[in-house]
Amino acid sequence: MPPISPQLHEDIGKRLRQSRDEALATVRARTDGDTDDRPAISPNAHMGQNDDAPAGEMLSHNEEHLAEHEANLLHEIDAALARLDSGGYGVCVSCGREIPEARLLATPTVQTCVQCQERIEKEQGTGRGPSM
C-alpha cells in the first residue's frame, strides 16, 4: 500500500499535472517567436536598432535564468509524478521514512523529510537561515 491515502494521491496528482501544464505554457510563451520570429530567450531578442547593448544583454540573461528555473521546475514535477505513479511518493529518498502529509501538501515536489532536508542544507551550506 502506498504511504499516502488514495484521496491525497488524487489531489497531489491533479496539482502536479496542473503545475506542469502551467510551467509548460510559460516555457512555450517564452520560447515561441514574439517579435520578428525571435523567441524571448534568444540572445538578440531584446536588441533592436539603436538599443542599449548592456540593457539588452541583461534582459537576455534574465530570460535565460528564468528558462533554466522553469526547466528545473518541470524536472521536479516530472520526478514527483513518477514517484506518485510508482508508489514511492511520500517516502523520503534519503532515509526512507514517510514524509508528513502537511509537507507534501505545502510542497508537492518535495523529496525529503524535514530532518533530512535540514541535514542536506547544513552540509551544503544552503537554506534560509534566520529570518526577521
Side-chain angles (χ1 to χ4, degrees), residues 38-55:
R38 292 180 302 194
I41 195 170
S42 72
N44 295 320
H46 300 284
M47 294 296 293
Q49 280 188 311
N50 301 322
D51 274 350
D52 182 19

Side-chain angles (χ1 to χ4, degrees), residues 29-98:
R30 187 175 311 288
T31 57
D32 286 345
D34 60 347
T35 57
D36 300 325
D37 292 323
R38 292 180 302 194
I41 195 170
S42 72
N44 295 320
H46 300 284
M47 294 296 293
Q49 280 188 311
N50 301 322
D51 274 350
D52 182 19
E57 288 177 22
M58 181 183 70
L59 288 172
S60 291
H61 175 75
N62 288 346
E63 291 290 340
E64 290 171 12
H65 177 74
L66 290 170
E68 181 180 349
H69 170 76
E70 290 153 356
N72 290 339
L73 177 61
L74 280 169
H75 176 72
E76 289 176 10
I77 292 169
D78 287 342
L81 284 168
R83 289 191 309 279
L84 194 64
D85 290 342
S86 71
Y89 186 82
V91 176
C92 177
V93 297
S94 184
C95 71
R97 289 182 287 204
E98 288 187 22

